Coordinates of all heavy atoms in Angstrom, one line a residue:
G1 N 0.8 -1.2 0.0 CA 0.0 0.0 0.0 C 0.8 1.3 0.0 O 0.4 2.3 -0.5
V2 N 2.0 1.2 0.6 CA 2.9 2.4 0.7 C 3.5 2.7 -0.6 O 3.7 3.9 -1.0 CB 3.9 2.2 1.8 CG1 4.9 3.3 1.8 CG2 3.3 2.0 3.1
T3 N 3.8 1.7 -1.4 CA 4.6 2.0 -2.7 C 3.7 2.8 -3.7 O 4.3 3.4 -4.6 CB 5.0 0.7 -3.3 OG1 3.9 -0.2 -3.5 CG2 6.0 0.0 -2.4
G4 N 2.4 2.8 -3.5 CA 1.6 3.6 -4.4 C 1.9 5.1 -4.3 O 1.7 5.8 -5.3
G5 N 2.4 5.5 -3.2 CA 2.7 6.9 -3.0 C 4.1 7.3 -3.4 O 4.4 8.5 -3.4
F6 N 4.9 6.4 -3.8 CA 6.3 6.8 -4.2 C 6.3 7.7 -5.5 O 7.1 8.5 -5.6 CB 7.1 5.5 -4.5 CG 7.6 4.8 -3.3 CD1 8.2 3.6 -3.4 CD2 7.4 5.4 -2.0 CE1 8.6 2.9 -2.3 CE2 7.8 4.7 -0.9 CZ 8.5 3.5 -1.0
S7 N 5.4 7.5 -6.4 CA 5.4 8.3 -7.6 C 5.2 9.8 -7.2 O 5.7 10.6 -7.9 CB 4.3 7.8 -8.6 OG 3.0 7.9 -8.0
T8 N 4.3 10.0 -6.3 CA 4.1 11.4 -5.8 C 5.3 12.0 -5.3 O 5.7 13.2 -5.6 CB 3.0 11.5 -4.8 OG1 1.8 10.8 -5.3 CG2 2.6 12.9 -4.4
G9 N 6.1 11.3 -4.5 CA 7.3 11.8 -3.9 C 8.4 12.1 -5.0 O 9.1 13.1 -4.9
V10 N 8.4 11.3 -6.0 CA 9.4 11.5 -7.1 C 9.0 12.7 -7.9 O 9.9 13.5 -8.3 CB 9.5 10.2 -8.0 CG1 10.3 10.5 -9.2 CG2 10.1 9.1 -7.2
V11 N 7.7 12.9 -8.2 CA 7.3 14.0 -9.0 C 7.5 15.3 -8.2 O 8.0 16.3 -8.7 CB 5.8 13.9 -9.4 CG1 5.3 15.1 -10.0 CG2 5.7 12.7 -10.3
I12 N 7.1 15.4 -6.9 CA 7.2 16.6 -6.1 C 8.6 17.0 -5.7 O 9.0 18.1 -5.9 CB 6.3 16.5 -4.9 CG1 4.8 16.5 -5.4 CG2 6.5 17.7 -4.0 CD1 3.8 16.2 -4.3
G13 N 9.3 16.0 -5.1 CA 10.6 16.3 -4.6 C 11.8 15.7 -5.3 O 13.0 16.0 -5.0
G14 N 11.6 14.8 -6.2 CA 12.7 14.2 -6.9 C 13.1 12.9 -6.2 O 12.7 12.7 -5.1
S15 N 14.0 12.2 -6.8 CA 14.4 10.9 -6.3 C 15.3 11.1 -5.0 O 15.2 10.3 -4.1 CB 15.2 10.1 -7.3 OG 16.3 10.9 -7.8
A16 N 16.0 12.2 -5.0 CA 16.9 12.5 -3.8 C 16.0 12.7 -2.5 O 16.3 12.1 -1.5 CB 17.7 13.7 -4.0
S17 N 14.9 13.4 -2.6 CA 14.1 13.6 -1.4 C 13.4 12.3 -1.0 O 13.2 12.1 0.2 CB 13.0 14.7 -1.7 OG 12.1 14.2 -2.6
L18 N 13.1 11.4 -2.0 CA 12.5 10.1 -1.7 C 13.5 9.3 -0.9 O 13.2 8.7 0.1 CB 12.0 9.5 -3.0 CG 11.2 8.2 -2.8 CD1 9.9 8.6 -2.1 CD2 10.9 7.7 -4.2
V19 N 14.7 9.2 -1.4 CA 15.8 8.4 -0.8 C 16.1 8.9 0.6 O 16.1 8.1 1.6 CB 17.0 8.3 -1.6 CG1 18.2 7.7 -0.9 CG2 16.8 7.6 -2.9
Y20 N 16.4 10.2 0.7 CA 16.7 10.7 2.1 C 15.5 10.7 3.0 O 15.6 10.5 4.2 CB 17.3 12.2 1.9 CG 18.6 12.2 1.2 CD1 18.8 13.0 0.1 CD2 19.6 11.4 1.7 CE1 20.1 13.0 -0.5 CE2 20.9 11.4 1.1 CZ 21.1 12.2 0.0 OH 22.3 12.2 -0.6
G21 N 14.3 10.9 2.4 CA 13.1 10.8 3.3 C 12.9 9.4 3.8 O 12.6 9.2 5.0
L22 N 13.2 8.4 3.0 CA 13.1 7.0 3.5 C 14.1 6.7 4.6 O 13.8 6.0 5.6 CB 13.2 6.0 2.4 CG 12.0 5.9 1.4 CD1 12.3 5.0 0.3 CD2 10.8 5.4 2.2
I23 N 15.3 7.3 4.4 CA 16.3 7.1 5.5 C 15.9 7.7 6.8 O 16.1 7.2 7.9 CB 17.7 7.6 5.0 CG1 18.2 6.7 3.8 CG2 18.7 7.7 6.1 CD1 19.4 7.3 3.1
I24 N 15.4 9.0 6.7 CA 15.0 9.7 7.9 C 13.8 9.0 8.6 O 13.8 8.8 9.8 CB 14.7 11.1 7.6 CG1 15.9 11.9 7.2 CG2 14.0 11.8 8.7 CD1 15.7 13.3 6.6
V25 N 12.9 8.5 7.8 CA 11.7 7.8 8.4 C 12.1 6.5 9.0 O 11.7 6.1 10.1 CB 10.6 7.6 7.3 CG1 9.6 6.6 7.7 CG2 10.0 8.9 6.9
A26 N 13.1 5.8 8.4 CA 13.5 4.5 8.9 C 14.3 4.8 10.2 O 14.1 4.0 11.2 CB 14.5 3.9 7.9
F27 N 15.0 5.9 10.3 CA 15.7 6.2 11.6 C 14.7 6.4 12.7 O 14.8 5.9 13.8 CB 16.6 7.4 11.4 CG 17.2 7.9 12.7 CD1 18.2 7.2 13.3 CD2 16.7 9.0 13.3 CE1 18.8 7.7 14.5 CE2 17.3 9.5 14.5 CZ 18.3 8.8 15.1
F28 N 13.7 7.2 12.5 CA 12.7 7.5 13.5 C 11.8 6.3 13.8 O 11.2 6.2 14.9 CB 11.9 8.8 13.2 CG 12.7 10.0 13.4 CD1 13.1 10.8 12.3 CD2 13.0 10.5 14.6 CE1 13.9 11.9 12.5 CE2 13.7 11.6 14.9 CZ 14.1 12.3 13.8
N29 N 11.6 5.4 12.8 CA 10.8 4.2 13.1 C 11.4 3.3 14.1 O 10.8 2.5 14.8 CB 10.5 3.5 11.8 CG 9.3 3.9 11.1 OD1 8.4 4.6 11.7 ND2 9.2 3.6 9.8
I30 N 12.8 3.4 14.3 CA 13.5 2.6 15.3 C 12.9 2.9 16.7 O 12.8 2.1 17.5 CB 15.0 2.9 15.2 CG1 15.5 2.3 13.9 CG2 15.7 2.3 16.4 CD1 17.0 2.7 13.6
F31 N 12.6 4.2 16.9 CA 12.0 4.6 18.2 C 10.6 4.0 18.5 O 10.3 3.5 19.5 CB 12.0 6.1 18.4 CG 13.3 6.7 18.3 CD1 13.7 7.5 17.2 CD2 14.2 6.6 19.3 CE1 14.9 8.1 17.1 CE2 15.5 7.2 19.3 CZ 15.8 7.9 18.2
F32 N 9.8 3.9 17.4 CA 8.5 3.3 17.5 C 8.6 1.8 17.8 O 7.9 1.2 18.6 CB 7.7 3.6 16.3 CG 7.3 5.0 16.2 CD1 7.8 5.8 15.2 CD2 6.4 5.6 17.0 CE1 7.5 7.2 15.0 CE2 6.0 7.0 16.9 CZ 6.6 7.7 15.9
V33 N 9.5 1.2 17.0 CA 9.7 -0.2 17.1 C 10.2 -0.6 18.5 O 9.7 -1.6 19.1 CB 10.7 -0.8 16.1 CG1 11.1 -2.2 16.3 CG2 10.1 -0.6 14.7
T34 N 11.1 0.2 19.1 CA 11.6 0.0 20.4 C 10.5 0.1 21.5 O 10.4 -0.8 22.3 CB 12.7 1.0 20.8 OG1 13.7 0.9 19.7 CG2 13.3 0.7 22.1
T35 N 9.7 1.1 21.3 CA 8.6 1.3 22.3 C 7.6 0.1 22.2 O 7.2 -0.4 23.2 CB 7.8 2.6 22.0 OG1 8.8 3.7 22.0 CG2 6.7 2.8 23.0
L36 N 7.2 -0.3 21.0 CA 6.2 -1.4 20.8 C 6.8 -2.7 21.3 O 6.1 -3.5 21.9 CB 5.8 -1.5 19.4 CG 4.9 -0.3 18.9 CD1 4.6 -0.5 17.4 CD2 3.6 -0.3 19.7
S37 N 8.1 -2.9 21.1 CA 8.7 -4.1 21.6 C 8.8 -4.2 23.1 O 8.6 -5.3 23.7 CB 10.1 -4.3 21.0 OG 11.0 -3.3 21.5
E38 N 8.9 -3.0 23.7 CA 8.9 -3.0 25.2 C 7.5 -3.3 25.7 O 7.3 -4.1 26.7 CB 9.3 -1.6 25.7 CG 10.8 -1.4 25.6 CD 11.6 -2.3 26.6 OE1 11.1 -2.6 27.7 OE2 12.7 -2.7 26.2
L39 N 6.5 -2.8 25.0 CA 5.1 -3.1 25.4 C 4.7 -4.5 25.2 O 4.1 -5.2 26.1 CB 4.1 -2.2 24.7 CG 4.1 -0.7 25.1 CD1 3.2 0.1 24.2 CD2 3.5 -0.6 26.5
V40 N 5.2 -5.1 24.1 CA 4.9 -6.5 23.9 C 5.6 -7.4 24.9 O 5.0 -8.4 25.4 CB 5.4 -6.9 22.4 CG1 5.4 -8.4 22.2 CG2 4.5 -6.3 21.4
S41 N 6.8 -7.1 25.3 CA 7.5 -7.9 26.3 C 6.9 -7.8 27.7 O 6.9 -8.7 28.4 CB 9.0 -7.6 26.3 OG 9.2 -6.3 26.8
A42 N 6.4 -6.6 28.0 CA 5.8 -6.3 29.3 C 4.3 -6.8 29.4 O 3.9 -7.4 30.4 CB 5.8 -4.9 29.6
M43 N 3.6 -6.7 28.3 CA 2.1 -7.0 28.3 C 1.8 -7.8 27.0 O 1.2 -7.2 26.1 CB 1.3 -5.8 28.4 CG 1.4 -5.1 29.7 SD 0.3 -3.7 29.8 CE 1.2 -2.4 28.9
P44 N 2.2 -9.1 26.9 CA 1.8 -9.8 25.7 C 0.3 -10.0 25.6 O -0.3 -10.4 26.6 CB 2.6 -11.1 25.8 CG 2.9 -11.2 27.3 CD 3.0 -9.9 27.9
N45 N -0.2 -9.9 24.4 CA -1.7 -10.1 24.3 C -1.9 -10.3 22.8 O -1.1 -10.1 21.9 CB -2.5 -8.9 24.8 CG -2.2 -7.7 24.0 OD1 -2.6 -7.5 22.9 ND2 -1.5 -6.7 24.6
A46 N -3.2 -10.7 22.5 CA -3.6 -10.9 21.1 C -4.3 -9.6 20.5 O -4.5 -9.5 19.4 CB -4.5 -12.1 21.0
G47 N -4.6 -8.6 21.4 CA -5.3 -7.5 21.0 C -4.5 -6.4 20.3 O -5.0 -5.7 19.5
G48 N -3.3 -6.2 20.7 CA -2.5 -5.1 20.1 C -2.6 -3.8 20.9 O -2.7 -3.8 22.1
Q49 N -2.6 -2.7 20.1 CA -2.4 -1.4 20.7 C -3.6 -1.0 21.5 O -3.4 -0.3 22.5 CB -2.3 -0.4 19.6 CG -1.0 -0.5 18.7 CD -1.3 -1.3 17.5 OE1 -2.2 -2.1 17.4 NE2 -0.4 -1.1 16.5
Y50 N -4.8 -1.4 21.2 CA -6.0 -0.9 22.0 C -6.0 -1.5 23.4 O -6.4 -0.9 24.3 CB -7.3 -1.2 21.3 CG -7.7 -2.7 21.2 CD1 -8.4 -3.2 22.3 CD2 -7.4 -3.4 20.1 CE1 -8.8 -4.6 22.2 CE2 -7.8 -4.8 20.1 CZ -8.5 -5.3 21.1 OH -8.8 -6.6 21.1
Y51 N -5.4 -2.7 23.5 CA -5.3 -3.3 24.9 C -4.3 -2.5 25.7 O -4.6 -2.3 26.9 CB -4.8 -4.8 24.7 CG -4.5 -5.4 26.0 CD1 -5.5 -5.9 26.8 CD2 -3.2 -5.6 26.5 CE1 -5.3 -6.5 28.0 CE2 -2.9 -6.2 27.7 CZ -4.0 -6.7 28.5 OH -3.7 -7.3 29.7
W52 N -3.2 -2.2 25.1 CA -2.2 -1.4 25.8 C -2.7 0.0 26.2 O -2.5 0.5 27.3 CB -0.9 -1.2 25.0 CG -0.2 -2.5 24.7 CD1 -0.1 -3.6 25.5 CD2 0.4 -2.8 23.5 NE1 0.5 -4.6 24.8 CE2 0.9 -4.1 23.6 CE3 0.7 -2.1 22.3 CZ2 1.6 -4.8 22.6 CZ3 1.4 -2.8 21.3 CH2 1.8 -4.1 21.4
V53 N -3.5 0.6 25.3 CA -4.1 1.9 25.7 C -5.1 1.7 26.8 O -5.1 2.6 27.8 CB -4.8 2.5 24.4 CG1 -5.6 3.7 24.8 CG2 -3.8 2.9 23.4
T54 N -5.8 0.6 26.8 CA -6.8 0.4 27.9 C -6.1 0.3 29.3 O -6.5 0.8 30.3 CB -7.6 -0.9 27.7 OG1 -8.2 -0.8 26.4 CG2 -8.6 -1.1 28.8
K55 N -4.9 -0.4 29.3 CA -4.2 -0.6 30.5 C -3.4 0.6 30.9 O -3.2 0.9 32.1 CB -3.2 -1.8 30.4 CG -3.9 -3.1 30.1 CD -4.8 -3.4 31.3 CE -5.5 -4.7 31.2 NZ -6.5 -5.0 32.2
L56 N -2.9 1.4 30.0 CA -2.0 2.5 30.3 C -2.6 3.9 30.5 O -2.1 4.8 31.1 CB -0.9 2.6 29.3 CG 0.0 1.4 29.2 CD1 1.0 1.5 28.0 CD2 0.8 1.1 30.5
A57 N -3.8 4.1 29.9 CA -4.5 5.4 29.9 C -5.1 5.6 31.3 O -5.4 4.6 32.0 CB -5.6 5.5 28.9
P58 N -5.4 6.8 31.7 CA -6.1 7.1 33.0 C -7.5 6.5 33.0 O -8.1 6.3 31.9 CB -6.2 8.6 33.0 CG -5.1 9.1 32.1 CD -4.9 8.1 31.1
G59 N -8.0 6.1 34.1 CA -9.2 5.4 34.2 C -10.4 5.9 33.4 O -11.0 5.1 32.7
R60 N -10.7 7.1 33.5 CA -11.9 7.7 32.8 C -11.7 7.7 31.3 O -12.6 7.6 30.5 CB -12.2 9.1 33.3 CG -13.5 9.6 32.9 CD -13.8 10.9 33.6 NE -12.9 12.0 33.3 CZ -13.0 12.8 32.3 NH1 -14.0 12.6 31.4 NH2 -12.2 13.8 32.1
L61 N -10.4 7.8 30.8 CA -10.1 8.0 29.4 C -9.8 6.7 28.8 O -9.5 6.6 27.5 CB -9.0 9.0 29.2 CG -9.3 10.4 29.6 CD1 -8.1 11.3 29.5 CD2 -10.4 11.0 28.8
A62 N -9.7 5.6 29.5 CA -9.2 4.3 29.0 C -10.1 3.8 27.8 O -9.6 3.5 26.8 CB -9.1 3.3 30.1
R63 N -11.4 3.7 28.1 CA -12.2 3.1 27.0 C -12.4 4.0 25.8 O -12.2 3.5 24.7 CB -13.6 2.8 27.6 CG -13.6 1.6 28.6 CD -14.9 1.4 29.2 NE -15.9 1.1 28.1 CZ -16.6 0.0 28.1 NH1 -16.5 -0.9 29.0 NH2 -17.4 -0.2 27.1
P64 N -12.6 5.3 25.9 CA -12.6 6.1 24.7 C -11.3 6.1 23.9 O -11.3 6.1 22.7 CB -13.0 7.5 25.1 CG -13.5 7.4 26.5 CD -12.9 6.1 27.1
S65 N -10.2 6.1 24.7 CA -8.9 6.1 24.0 C -8.6 4.8 23.3 O -8.1 4.8 22.2 CB -7.8 6.3 25.1 OG -7.9 7.6 25.7
A66 N -9.0 3.7 23.9 CA -8.9 2.4 23.3 C -9.8 2.3 22.0 O -9.3 1.8 21.0 CB -9.2 1.3 24.2
Y67 N -11.0 2.9 22.1 CA -11.9 2.9 20.9 C -11.2 3.7 19.8 O -11.2 3.3 18.6 CB -13.2 3.4 21.3 CG -14.2 3.5 20.1 CD1 -14.8 2.3 19.7 CD2 -14.5 4.7 19.5 CE1 -15.7 2.4 18.6 CE2 -15.3 4.8 18.4 CZ -16.0 3.6 18.0 OH -16.8 3.7 16.9
F68 N -10.7 4.9 20.1 CA -10.1 5.7 19.1 C -8.9 5.0 18.5 O -8.7 5.1 17.3 CB -9.7 7.1 19.7 CG -9.1 8.0 18.7 CD1 -9.9 8.6 17.8 CD2 -7.8 8.4 18.8 CE1 -9.4 9.5 16.9 CE2 -7.2 9.2 17.9 CZ -8.0 9.8 16.9
T69 N -8.1 4.3 19.3 CA -6.9 3.6 18.8 C -7.4 2.5 17.8 O -6.8 2.3 16.8 CB -6.2 3.0 20.0 OG1 -5.7 4.1 20.8 CG2 -5.0 2.2 19.5
G70 N -8.4 1.8 18.2 CA -8.9 0.8 17.3 C -9.4 1.3 16.0 O -9.2 0.7 14.9
I71 N -10.1 2.5 16.0 CA -10.6 3.1 14.8 C -9.5 3.6 13.9 O -9.5 3.4 12.7 CB -11.6 4.3 15.2 CG1 -12.9 3.7 15.8 CG2 -11.9 5.1 14.0 CD1 -13.7 2.9 14.9
C72 N -8.5 4.1 14.5 CA -7.3 4.5 13.8 C -6.6 3.3 13.1 O -6.1 3.4 12.0 CB -6.3 5.3 14.7 SG -6.9 7.0 15.1
N73 N -6.5 2.2 13.9 CA -5.9 1.0 13.3 C -6.7 0.5 12.1 O -6.2 0.1 11.1 CB -5.8 0.0 14.4 CG -4.8 -1.1 14.1 OD1 -4.1 -1.1 13.1 ND2 -4.7 -2.1 14.9
L74 N -8.0 0.5 12.3 CA -8.9 0.0 11.2 C -8.8 0.9 10.0 O -8.7 0.5 8.9 CB -10.3 0.0 11.7 CG -11.4 -0.4 10.7 CD1 -11.2 -1.8 10.2 CD2 -12.8 -0.2 11.2
S75 N -8.7 2.2 10.2 CA -8.6 3.2 9.1 C -7.3 3.0 8.4 O -7.2 3.1 7.2 CB -8.7 4.6 9.6 OG -9.9 4.8 10.3
G76 N -6.2 2.8 9.1 CA -4.9 2.5 8.5 C -4.9 1.3 7.6 O -4.4 1.3 6.5
G77 N -5.6 0.2 8.1 CA -5.7 -1.0 7.3 C -6.5 -0.7 6.0 O -6.2 -1.2 4.9
I78 N -7.6 0.0 6.1 CA -8.4 0.3 4.9 C -7.7 1.2 4.0 O -7.7 0.9 2.7 CB -9.8 1.0 5.4 CG1 -10.6 0.0 6.1 CG2 -10.5 1.5 4.2 CD1 -11.8 0.6 6.8
I79 N -7.0 2.2 4.4 CA -6.2 3.1 3.6 C -5.1 2.3 2.9 O -4.8 2.5 1.7 CB -5.8 4.3 4.3 CG1 -7.0 5.2 4.7 CG2 -4.7 5.1 3.6 CD1 -6.7 6.2 5.7
A80 N -4.4 1.5 3.6 CA -3.3 0.7 3.0 C -3.8 -0.3 1.9 O -3.2 -0.4 0.9 CB -2.6 -0.1 4.1
S81 N -5.0 -0.9 2.2 CA -5.6 -1.7 1.2 C -6.0 -0.9 -0.1 O -5.8 -1.4 -1.2 CB -6.8 -2.4 1.7 OG -6.4 -3.3 2.8
A82 N -6.6 0.2 0.1 CA -7.0 1.1 -1.0 C -5.7 1.5 -1.8 O -5.8 1.6 -3.0 CB -7.7 2.3 -0.5
G83 N -4.6 1.8 -1.1 CA -3.4 2.2 -1.8 C -2.9 1.1 -2.6 O -2.4 1.3 -3.7
A84 N -2.9 -0.1 -2.1 CA -2.5 -1.3 -2.8 C -3.3 -1.5 -4.1 O -2.8 -1.9 -5.1 CB -2.5 -2.5 -2.0
T85 N -4.6 -1.3 -3.9 CA -5.5 -1.5 -5.1 C -5.3 -0.4 -6.1 O -5.3 -0.7 -7.3 CB -7.0 -1.4 -4.6 OG1 -7.2 -2.3 -3.5 CG2 -8.0 -1.6 -5.7
V86 N -5.0 0.8 -5.7 CA -4.7 1.9 -6.7 C -3.4 1.5 -7.4 O -3.3 1.7 -8.6 CB -4.6 3.3 -6.0 CG1 -4.0 4.3 -6.9 CG2 -6.0 3.7 -5.6
L87 N -2.4 1.1 -6.7 CA -1.1 0.7 -7.3 C -1.3 -0.4 -8.3 O -0.7 -0.3 -9.4 CB -0.2 0.2 -6.2 CG 1.2 -0.3 -6.7 CD1 1.9 0.8 -7.4 CD2 2.0 -0.9 -5.5
M88 N -2.2 -1.4 -8.0 CA -2.4 -2.5 -9.0 C -3.1 -1.9 -10.2 O -2.7 -2.3 -11.3 CB -3.3 -3.5 -8.3 CG -3.5 -4.8 -9.2 SD -1.9 -5.6 -9.6 CE -1.5 -6.2 -8.0
G89 N -4.0 -1.0 -10.1 CA -4.6 -0.4 -11.2 C -3.6 0.4 -12.1 O -3.7 0.3 -13.3
H90 N -2.7 1.1 -11.4 CA -1.7 1.8 -12.2 C -0.8 0.9 -12.9 O -0.4 1.1 -14.1 CB -0.8 2.7 -11.2 CG -1.5 4.0 -10.8 ND1 -1.4 5.1 -11.5 CD2 -2.4 4.2 -9.8 CE1 -2.1 6.1 -11.0 NE2 -2.7 5.6 -9.9
M91 N -0.5 -0.3 -12.3 CA 0.4 -1.2 -13.0 C -0.3 -1.9 -14.2 O 0.3 -2.0 -15.2 CB 0.8 -2.3 -12.0 CG 1.7 -1.8 -10.9 SD 2.1 -3.0 -9.6 CE 3.1 -4.1 -10.5
V92 N -1.6 -2.2 -14.0 CA -2.3 -2.8 -15.2 C -2.4 -1.7 -16.3 O -2.3 -2.1 -17.5 CB -3.7 -3.2 -14.7 CG1 -4.6 -3.5 -15.9 CG2 -3.6 -4.4 -13.8
L93 N -2.7 -0.5 -16.0 CA -2.7 0.6 -17.0 C -1.4 0.7 -17.7 O -1.3 0.9 -18.9 CB -3.2 1.9 -16.3 CG -3.4 3.1 -17.3 CD1 -4.5 2.8 -18.3 CD2 -3.7 4.3 -16.5
G94 N -0.3 0.7 -16.9 CA 1.0 0.8 -17.5 C 1.3 -0.4 -18.5 O 1.9 -0.1 -19.5
V95 N 0.9 -1.6 -18.1 CA 1.1 -2.7 -19.0 C 0.3 -2.6 -20.3 O 0.7 -2.9 -21.4 CB 0.8 -4.0 -18.2 CG1 0.7 -5.2 -19.2 CG2 1.8 -4.3 -17.2
A96 N -1.0 -2.1 -20.1 CA -1.8 -1.9 -21.3 C -1.2 -0.8 -22.2 O -1.3 -1.0 -23.4 CB -3.2 -1.5 -20.8
K97 N -0.7 0.2 -21.6 CA -0.1 1.3 -22.5 C 1.2 0.8 -23.2 O 1.5 1.1 -24.3 CB 0.3 2.5 -21.6 CG -0.8 3.4 -21.3 CD -0.3 4.6 -20.6 CE -1.5 5.6 -20.3 NZ -1.0 6.8 -19.6
L98 N 1.9 -0.1 -22.5 CA 3.1 -0.7 -23.2 C 2.7 -1.6 -24.3 O 3.3 -1.7 -25.4 CB 3.9 -1.5 -22.2 CG 4.8 -0.7 -21.3 CD1 5.5 -1.6 -20.2 CD2 5.9 0.0 -22.1
A99 N 1.6 -2.4 -24.1 CA 1.2 -3.3 -25.1 C 0.5 -2.6 -26.3 O 0.6 -3.1 -27.4 CB 0.2 -4.3 -24.5
H100 N -0.2 -1.5 -26.1 CA -0.9 -0.8 -27.1 C -0.6 0.7 -27.1 O -1.4 1.5 -26.6 CB -2.4 -1.0 -26.9 CG -2.8 -2.4 -26.9 ND1 -2.8 -3.2 -28.1 CD2 -3.3 -3.2 -25.9 CE1 -3.3 -4.4 -27.8 NE2 -3.5 -4.4 -26.5
P101 N 0.6 1.1 -27.5 CA 1.0 2.5 -27.5 C 0.1 3.3 -28.5 O -0.3 2.8 -29.5 CB 2.5 2.5 -27.9 CG 2.7 1.3 -28.6 CD 1.7 0.3 -28.1
G102 N 0.0 4.6 -28.1 CA -0.7 5.5 -29.0 C -2.0 5.8 -28.6 O -3.0 6.3 -28.8

């Protein structure tokens, strides 16, 4: 799903911004991975982020925060699936243009 957005990065910022952007994002993702691995080792579960939010948020905000976390997770999955579908459409169109130019 993420690779569908690469063409936008190349058009707007060029290939250099895409490469350096990926390096910078990869560096900062290390912090997220470290945090999530600590949570997994401390509170293993099958639920994921919403379970951790339920346990770590203040009492009154635990349930709404967990719900919002679950909605964000669901939205991310839907958007990634849509991006993969758009990418597949672009690839089919590219193959059709190669096969039948003009």
Side-chain angles (χ1 to χ4, degrees):
V2 173
T3 56
F6 282 173
S7 60
T8 305
V10 171
V11 170
I12 292 174
S15 59
S17 70
L18 191 62
V19 170
Y20 293 125
L22 287 174
I23 291 170
I24 292 168
V25 167
F27 174 74
F28 284 108
N29 272 340
I30 292 171
F31 297 111
F32 292 111
V33 169
T34 305
T35 303
L36 290 177
S37 65
E38 285 293 323
L39 285 171
V40 167
S41 68
M43 294 183 277
N45 66 71
Q49 296 95 337
Y50 71 88
Y51 174 80
W52 298 324
V53 170
T54 303
K55 296 298 180 187
L56 298 175
R60 190 171 68 81
L61 296 174
R63 288 180 61 124
S65 298
Y67 179 77
F68 182 71
T69 301
I71 291 296
C72 287
N73 198 5
L74 176 65
S75 300
I78 291 171
I79 291 168
S81 298
T85 305
V86 168
L87 175 63
M88 187 60 69
H90 282 268
M91 291 173 71
V92 169
L93 182 62
V95 169
K97 281 186 176 180
L98 282 173
H100 304 287

